[in-house]
Amino acid sequence: MVRVRQIMKDEGEFLDAAKVSDLEKGAMRSVELKGIYVLIANVDGRFCALDDRCGHMNALLSMGTLNGKIVTCPFHYAQFDVTTGQKVKDPVTESFKGMDKLPEEMQKFLIFAKKLVDPVKTYDMQTHEVRVEGNKILVRI
Ligand code: FES
């Protein structure tokens, strides 16, 4: 698999990323660590961290929704397991119901946009090791 950025286990340092008390179960938030947007999620009391840029077209996953351990991208609805970073559902790029009722120029634009988006491959997400110390959530970057 091709990845833009590869991080090896035991590489990097743990950085103070968030407070346990600020992230209740089922919540997620984005933090910037060393210039990288990282999504931190609380899955039933377990904290997970992964890059906060969708493996499809870089939308911020933290602006999507978290359901259990599955985050859904707000842009084309690809889904990822936040505990592993694995893609579990491809993006939705099909035409939508009622598109034929839109003005012709808008329909042409959407058809063009679909041609651009369809061939884009969706990658698994890079995860980051997490450690909890007291009220601190530390993420290895
Ligand atoms: S950018 Fe996330 S699904 Fe397309």
mmCIF file of all heavy atoms in Angstrom, residues 54-59 61 73-78 80 91-92 122, ligand 1:
data_model
loop_
_atom_site.group_PDB
_atom_site.id
_atom_site.type_symbol
_atom_site.label_atom_id
_atom_site.label_comp_id
_atom_site.label_asym_id
_atom_site.label_seq_id
_atom_site.Cartn_x
_atom_site.Cartn_y
_atom_site.Cartn_z
ATOM 1 N N CYS A 54 -9.145 12.818 5.829
ATOM 2 C CA CYS A 54 -9.745 11.627 5.219
ATOM 3 C C CYS A 54 -8.812 10.997 4.184
ATOM 4 O O CYS A 54 -8.168 11.698 3.399
ATOM 5 C CB CYS A 54 -11.065 12.018 4.562
ATOM 6 S SG CYS A 54 -11.885 10.653 3.745
ATOM 7 N N GLY A 55 -8.776 9.676 4.184
ATOM 8 C CA GLY A 55 -7.954 8.936 3.232
ATOM 9 C C GLY A 55 -8.456 9.008 1.809
ATOM 10 O O GLY A 55 -7.840 8.464 0.900
ATOM 11 N N HIS A 56 -9.560 9.709 1.591
ATOM 12 C CA HIS A 56 -10.085 9.893 0.245
ATOM 13 C C HIS A 56 -9.588 11.229 -0.319
ATOM 14 O O HIS A 56 -8.676 11.252 -1.125
ATOM 15 C CB HIS A 56 -11.630 9.830 0.258
ATOM 16 C CG HIS A 56 -12.253 9.987 -1.086
ATOM 17 N ND1 HIS A 56 -13.328 10.816 -1.309
ATOM 18 C CD2 HIS A 56 -11.959 9.415 -2.270
ATOM 19 C CE1 HIS A 56 -13.666 10.743 -2.583
ATOM 20 N NE2 HIS A 56 -12.849 9.900 -3.188
ATOM 21 N N MET A 57 -10.157 12.325 0.132
ATOM 22 C CA MET A 57 -9.775 13.627 -0.423
ATOM 23 C C MET A 57 -9.508 14.668 0.668
ATOM 24 O O MET A 57 -9.750 15.863 0.474
ATOM 25 C CB MET A 57 -10.841 14.128 -1.407
ATOM 26 C CG MET A 57 -10.935 13.256 -2.649
ATOM 27 S SD MET A 57 -12.210 13.790 -3.795
ATOM 28 C CE MET A 57 -11.426 15.200 -4.545
ATOM 29 N N ASN A 58 -8.997 14.176 1.810
ATOM 30 C CA ASN A 58 -8.449 15.056 2.854
ATOM 31 C C ASN A 58 -9.436 15.905 3.653
ATOM 32 O O ASN A 58 -9.012 16.820 4.361
ATOM 33 C CB ASN A 58 -7.373 15.984 2.281
ATOM 34 C CG ASN A 58 -6.073 15.272 2.066
ATOM 35 O OD1 ASN A 58 -5.774 14.303 2.751
ATOM 36 N ND2 ASN A 58 -5.302 15.732 1.102
ATOM 37 N N ALA A 59 -10.713 15.630 3.582
ATOM 38 C CA ALA A 59 -11.640 16.383 4.436
ATOM 39 C C ALA A 59 -11.314 16.081 5.904
ATOM 40 O O ALA A 59 -10.734 15.041 6.228
ATOM 41 C CB ALA A 59 -13.075 15.979 4.135
ATOM 42 N N LEU A 61 -12.006 14.611 9.143
ATOM 43 C CA LEU A 61 -12.918 13.589 9.671
ATOM 44 C C LEU A 61 -13.607 14.065 10.942
ATOM 45 O O LEU A 61 -14.738 13.671 11.229
ATOM 46 C CB LEU A 61 -12.156 12.290 9.954
ATOM 47 C CG LEU A 61 -11.686 11.520 8.719
ATOM 48 C CD1 LEU A 61 -10.830 10.326 9.142
ATOM 49 C CD2 LEU A 61 -12.864 11.054 7.881
ATOM 50 N N CYS A 73 -16.888 10.299 7.202
ATOM 51 C CA CYS A 73 -16.398 11.558 6.628
ATOM 52 C C CYS A 73 -17.574 12.438 6.208
ATOM 53 O O CYS A 73 -18.539 11.952 5.621
ATOM 54 C CB CYS A 73 -15.502 11.244 5.429
ATOM 55 S SG CYS A 73 -14.887 12.731 4.608
ATOM 56 N N PRO A 74 -17.473 13.741 6.468
ATOM 57 C CA PRO A 74 -18.581 14.626 6.117
ATOM 58 C C PRO A 74 -18.675 14.932 4.621
ATOM 59 O O PRO A 74 -19.679 15.467 4.161
ATOM 60 C CB PRO A 74 -18.255 15.906 6.900
ATOM 61 C CG PRO A 74 -16.767 15.900 6.992
ATOM 62 C CD PRO A 74 -16.374 14.451 7.131
ATOM 63 N N PHE A 75 -17.637 14.582 3.867
ATOM 64 C CA PHE A 75 -17.609 14.998 2.460
ATOM 65 C C PHE A 75 -18.293 13.968 1.548
ATOM 66 O O PHE A 75 -19.315 14.269 0.928
ATOM 67 C CB PHE A 75 -16.160 15.241 2.050
ATOM 68 C CG PHE A 75 -15.994 16.167 0.877
ATOM 69 C CD1 PHE A 75 -17.070 16.805 0.283
ATOM 70 C CD2 PHE A 75 -14.729 16.424 0.362
ATOM 71 C CE1 PHE A 75 -16.909 17.655 -0.798
ATOM 72 C CE2 PHE A 75 -14.545 17.278 -0.718
ATOM 73 C CZ PHE A 75 -15.642 17.884 -1.293
ATOM 74 N N HIS A 76 -17.759 12.753 1.488
ATOM 75 C CA HIS A 76 -18.378 11.714 0.636
ATOM 76 C C HIS A 76 -18.741 10.471 1.430
ATOM 77 O O HIS A 76 -18.945 9.400 0.875
ATOM 78 C CB HIS A 76 -17.434 11.320 -0.505
ATOM 79 C CG HIS A 76 -16.906 12.472 -1.290
ATOM 80 N ND1 HIS A 76 -15.614 12.932 -1.163
ATOM 81 C CD2 HIS A 76 -17.508 13.278 -2.195
ATOM 82 C CE1 HIS A 76 -15.431 13.969 -1.955
ATOM 83 N NE2 HIS A 76 -16.556 14.206 -2.592
ATOM 84 N N TYR A 77 -18.740 10.593 2.737
ATOM 85 C CA TYR A 77 -19.267 9.550 3.633
ATOM 86 C C TYR A 77 -18.458 8.251 3.674
ATOM 87 O O TYR A 77 -19.000 7.213 4.054
ATOM 88 C CB TYR A 77 -20.742 9.266 3.321
ATOM 89 C CG TYR A 77 -21.573 10.526 3.224
ATOM 90 C CD1 TYR A 77 -22.078 10.962 2.010
ATOM 91 C CD2 TYR A 77 -21.798 11.308 4.355
ATOM 92 C CE1 TYR A 77 -22.801 12.137 1.912
ATOM 93 C CE2 TYR A 77 -22.524 12.487 4.271
ATOM 94 C CZ TYR A 77 -23.027 12.891 3.041
ATOM 95 O OH TYR A 77 -23.733 14.063 2.960
ATOM 96 N N ALA A 78 -17.192 8.294 3.324
ATOM 97 C CA ALA A 78 -16.343 7.113 3.560
ATOM 98 C C ALA A 78 -16.314 6.881 5.068
ATOM 99 O O ALA A 78 -16.467 7.822 5.862
ATOM 100 C CB ALA A 78 -14.932 7.349 3.039
ATOM 101 N N PHE A 80 -14.298 4.907 8.460
ATOM 102 C CA PHE A 80 -13.049 4.347 8.962
ATOM 103 C C PHE A 80 -13.243 3.889 10.411
ATOM 104 O O PHE A 80 -13.971 4.522 11.177
ATOM 105 C CB PHE A 80 -11.927 5.396 8.926
ATOM 106 C CG PHE A 80 -11.698 5.974 7.560
ATOM 107 C CD1 PHE A 80 -12.401 7.098 7.137
ATOM 108 C CD2 PHE A 80 -10.801 5.385 6.682
ATOM 109 C CE1 PHE A 80 -12.204 7.633 5.865
ATOM 110 C CE2 PHE A 80 -10.590 5.906 5.420
ATOM 111 C CZ PHE A 80 -11.294 7.024 5.009
ATOM 112 N N PRO A 91 -16.238 5.775 -0.290
ATOM 113 C CA PRO A 91 -17.017 7.004 -0.417
ATOM 114 C C PRO A 91 -18.233 6.791 -1.322
ATOM 115 O O PRO A 91 -18.228 5.914 -2.175
ATOM 116 C CB PRO A 91 -16.053 8.000 -1.069
ATOM 117 C CG PRO A 91 -14.787 7.298 -1.281
ATOM 118 C CD PRO A 91 -14.910 5.887 -0.844
ATOM 119 N N VAL A 92 -19.216 7.625 -1.127
ATOM 120 C CA VAL A 92 -20.406 7.593 -1.982
ATOM 121 C C VAL A 92 -20.245 8.713 -2.998
ATOM 122 O O VAL A 92 -20.159 9.877 -2.623
ATOM 123 C CB VAL A 92 -21.689 7.827 -1.152
ATOM 124 C CG1 VAL A 92 -22.911 7.883 -2.060
ATOM 125 C CG2 VAL A 92 -21.830 6.749 -0.100
ATOM 126 N N THR A 122 -9.223 5.511 -1.987
ATOM 127 C CA THR A 122 -9.349 5.837 -0.570
ATOM 128 C C THR A 122 -8.430 4.934 0.244
ATOM 129 O O THR A 122 -8.522 3.716 0.166
ATOM 130 C CB THR A 122 -10.810 5.651 -0.095
ATOM 131 O OG1 THR A 122 -11.655 6.448 -0.931
ATOM 132 C CG2 THR A 122 -10.966 6.082 1.347
HETATM 133 S S1 FES B 1 -13.058 13.334 1.419
HETATM 134 FE FE1 FES B 1 -13.743 11.866 2.838
HETATM 135 S S2 FES B 1 -15.013 10.586 1.689
HETATM 136 FE FE2 FES B 1 -14.271 11.984 0.254
#
